[in-house]
Amino acid sequence: MEKIVVQGGDNRLVGSVNIEGAKNAVLPLLAATILASKGKTVLQNVPILSDVFTMNQVVRGLNAKVDFDEEGHVIEVDATGDITEEAPYKYVSKMRASIVVLGPILARVGHAKVSMPGGCTIGSRPIDLHLKGLEAMGAKISQTAGYIEAKAERLHGAHIYMDFPSVGATQNLMMAATLADGVTVIENAAREPEIVDLAILLNEMGAKVKGAGTETITVTGVEELHGTTHNVVQDRIEAGTFMVAAAMTGGDVLIRDAVWEHNRPLIAKLLEMGVEVTEESEGIRVRSQLENLKAVHVKTLPHPGFPTDMQAQFTALMTVAKGESTMVETVFENRFQHLEEMRRMGLHSEIIRDTARIVGGQALQGAEVLSTDLRASAALVLTGLVAQGETVVGKLVHLDRGCYRFHEKLAQLGAKIQRIEVKDEE
């Protein structure tokens, strides 16, 4: 078992950091490769994360050939053979995002059988929007023995209104619609940059997708899709995490290749807090003076609102801003678990339903803490940077799902941090 050990108190971060391709983009991109009945699909700028390895196994389990050049950050997928209809439970059960193979398998084969997804502990994340959309496109859906089964000789176009702008459902329905007969319109669609990146790939494969990044996406079905080469969009959440790290340590950090437009909601709140954020030719620079930081009110919302995936890290920043800040979580329930761990470090906070009240500017002490999900892991490490003494963060399996060499990148910026191997506790 491995843990991250942070020596806190004097960790002003200075320098530049490179960010990876987006985890939240590459997983649906991998699912989309199933749609290509001709040619190979090459994905570049792929992050080396445990979730990516899991999705590779899901795609391999569907009888596609997957080659991952880790040194070059390139994945090549050949899905020109006969794609199988059943996604392997062994891998789907590990990761909720793997449900996005449902639409592509159904569109390509006419029959899909996918186990109910597993993954992280953040709320219920129901998949009813995925299923309602596929039913509107003519699929017959059944759920038995832990599996979702969908059948349709060929899906047809439909007008779909989503009750909530679900990212996963938007991705699933977009991909399914590419091979459907006719035109599919998805209203109240998710607008995240990862949606736009998926649409770019699909169009490069020969699909006809319009409106990605807006509330209404229109997909005109085609007879077949082909392989292509695509560069995965940069990870806005990793970029945001290092922006927060620079801000809360009074640092001066250039986040290379970060995209201002993708991080606009976060940047707006950083500026409101008194953080200096500037766009440069090589990326985004964040400078901060701790005495200037002000308490703020933040509410998570679907894009283009403040991202729920930055909520935990931003609460870490709130701990160093004098005064009372509030964080309202509207996207997922049960996403304040990290605050319980931060209380072990001396944080004064109160949680009432979907709102956390955080009293910042008070001294924090290092402690042994456990991560509860991916973003919470990063938040606990960041809090360790500003706490006095030693902080030890355990259960790194969550961190490894979405952060590549996080401790090494922080160390290169000046953090006193290391990752160590410890004996498993009895």
Side-chain angles (χ1 to χ4, degrees), residues 11-23:
N11 279 300
R12 183 173 184 262
L13 302 184
V14 177
S16 64
V17 62
N18 293 314
I19 55 173
E20 310 299 317
K23 174 186 87 82

Side-chain angles (χ1 to χ4, degrees), residues 103 106-108 134 136-139 152-160 173-185 208 218-224:
L106 179 60
R108 174 83 188 270
L134 292 174
M137 297 167 71
E153 191 168 321
R154 187 180 182 187
L155 295 169
H156 58 69
H159 199 112
I160 301 166
L173 299 176
M174 278 172 61
M175 290 187 280
T178 59
L179 295 178
D181 181 18
V183 178
T184 299
V185 178
K208 295 179 180 178
T218 303
V219 185
T220 303
V222 298
E223 292 298 320
E224 63 181 16

Side-chain angles (χ1 to χ4, degrees), residues 43-313:
L43 301 179
Q44 301 170 333
N45 194 34
V46 175
I48 301 172
L49 303 169
S50 61
D51 273 9
V52 174
F53 288 105
T54 300
M55 186 59 99
N56 282 346
Q57 294 288 42
V58 171
V59 176
R60 285 191 186 102
L62 298 170
N63 199 37
K65 297 174 183 175
V66 181
D67 180 44
F68 191 2
D69 173 8
E70 294 176 41
E71 190 172 337
H73 292 256
V74 174
I75 292 178
E76 182 180 271
V77 181
D78 183 350
T80 56
D82 291 333
I83 296 299
T84 55
E85 63 195 35
E86 184 172 335
Y89 166 79
K90 180 179 178 182
Y91 299 110
V92 174
S93 61
K94 290 183 178 181
M95 186 177 65
R96 300 198 72 90
S98 51
I99 191 64
V100 293
V101 298
L102 180 64
I105 299 171
L106 179 60
R108 174 83 188 270
V109 183
H111 181 200
K113 187 178 180 182
V114 180
S115 81
M116 294 288 284
C120 55
T121 59
I122 308 163
S124 57
R125 297 195 183 190
I127 59 167
D128 59 318
L129 296 176
H130 303 240
L131 305 184
K132 286 178 183 176
L134 292 174
E135 283 179 327
M137 297 167 71
K140 297 272 192 286
I141 307 283
S142 60
Q143 297 182 52
T144 52
Y147 278 85
I148 299 163
E149 198 161 358
K151 294 180 181 180
E153 191 168 321
R154 187 180 182 187
L155 295 169
H156 58 69
H159 199 112
I160 301 166
Y161 179 85
M162 296 208 302
D163 296 333
F164 177 82
S166 160
V167 174
T170 300
Q171 292 165 336
N172 234 333
L173 299 176
M174 278 172 61
M175 290 187 280
T178 59
L179 295 178
D181 181 18
V183 178
T184 299
V185 178
I186 306 169
E187 287 197 76
N188 197 29
R191 293 184 273 169
E192 276 74 0
E194 295 79 17
I195 298 289
V196 177
D197 200 38
L198 175 59
I200 292 170
L201 171 69
L202 292 172
N203 287 336
E204 290 168 345
M205 296 169 71
K208 295 179 180 178
V209 181
K210 294 181 179 179
T214 74
E215 293 179 351
T216 304
I217 296 174
T218 303
V219 185
T220 303
V222 298
E223 292 298 320
E224 63 181 16
L225 297 180
H226 54 76
T228 188
T229 298
H230 178 80
N231 205 59
V232 180
V233 70
Q234 294 300 94
D235 195 323
R236 64 192 170 101
I237 303 303
E238 184 187 12
T241 300
F242 280 100
M243 289 182 202
V244 165
M248 67 189 291
T249 61
D252 181 349
V253 176
L254 172 66
I255 298 94
R256 294 186 181 277
D257 298 324
V259 181
W260 184 281
E261 190 61 36
H262 293 177
N263 292 281
R264 187 177 294 277
L266 169 64
I267 291 169
K269 284 299 173 182
L270 289 173
L271 293 171
E272 186 182 334
M273 283 190 96
V275 179
E276 182 184 340
V277 188
T278 53
E279 188 172 16
E280 299 185 1
S281 59
E282 294 182 79
I284 296 172
R285 182 174 297 277
V286 176
R287 295 187 184 93
S288 167
Q289 293 183 329
L290 295 180
E291 61 271 21
N292 294 339
L293 295 183
K294 300 187 287 284
V296 292
H297 172 80
V298 179
K299 184 178 184 179
T300 67
L301 289 166
H303 194 80
F306 190 93
T308 181
D309 278 352
M310 281 303 305
Q311 180 255 98
Q313 302 93 306

